Amino acid sequence: MHNLVHKPFYFVRHGETDWNRRHLYMGSKDIPLNQRGIEQSKLAADWLKDEPIVHIATSPLSRARKTAEIIAEKTQKPITIIDDLRECGWGVNEGEPYDDGVILQKWFKGEALEGAEKVHDFGARVMRGLESALELPGPVLIVAHGGVYCAIQRVFGWPFINVKNCSPLYHRPPEKSQRSWFVADLSNRSSGL
């Protein structure tokens, strides 16, 4: 693993969209935040306002970019848009109902899905995006997508967690005596979001 990746960073999945609420595959479709997603983003900004974040890197898709802008307004940190942090393109499956992971399982096994980005290509792109983000002054907050975080987990060999909309995660690389990364969820679950 490239040394560049061994830096602490924060990650936030964008706020909710109507397609999230309806359990539809979004992929590269530029679906905006809904009102709940805006409120979630404001809450994430409150959770992050006292963290030592120096810079925010975001996907160009509006749901992530708007989440990043709301957080940046509260934290007064600069934003850099990184195209490689955009969500996986799902081809003909975009806009289709989520099927309890049937399509995802086929994709993870390397099956070609019509018009979709290949799993290996997506993972390589996400790692380029992560490396670009971590070249910025840090610690960096990355605002992106569930699929992007899934790819990061796969590359690092972390146990899979389904990251929730706007639940900020802090990541610290292993120190000499540790073998694994420290990952902390900074959200307050009592908020009801």
Side-chain angles (χ1 to χ4, degrees), residues 1-13:
M1 186 63 56
H2 196 289
N3 280 341
L4 185 61
V5 180
H6 288 274
K7 292 182 176 181
F9 68 95
Y10 296 81
F11 186 93
V12 170
R13 179 184 175 202

Side-chain angles (χ1 to χ4, degrees), residues 69-171:
E69 289 167 358
I70 290 169
I71 294 169
E73 187 176 334
K74 185 78 153 194
T75 62
Q76 296 297 298
K77 302 304 176 195
I79 297 174
T80 297
I81 295 171
I82 298 177
D83 189 60
D84 282 335
L85 294 175
R86 72 190 183 285
E87 185 59 289
C88 183
W90 285 110
V92 298
N93 296 299
E94 292 180 358
E96 292 297 313
Y98 190 71
D99 54 4
D100 291 327
V102 173
I103 290 172
L104 280 176
Q105 290 310 314
K106 290 179 180 179
W107 184 73
F108 281 132
K109 290 176 185 173
E111 289 187 36
L113 302 175
E114 188 180 341
E117 199 169 357
K118 290 181 174 54
V119 66
H120 176 76
D121 295 343
F122 177 60
R125 174 168 64 76
V126 168
M127 287 315 296
R128 285 193 310 270
L130 179 62
E131 289 190 353
S132 294
L134 296 181
E135 286 174 351
L136 298 167
V140 171
L141 165 64
I142 296 169
V143 182
H145 308 273
V148 168
Y149 194 70
C150 181
I152 291 170
Q153 291 176 96
R154 285 172 58 92
V155 166
F156 281 103
W158 297 339
F160 177 75
I161 60 165
N162 186 13
V163 64
K164 298 185 181 331
N165 295 104
C166 280
S167 289
L169 300 172
Y170 171 70
H171 306 79

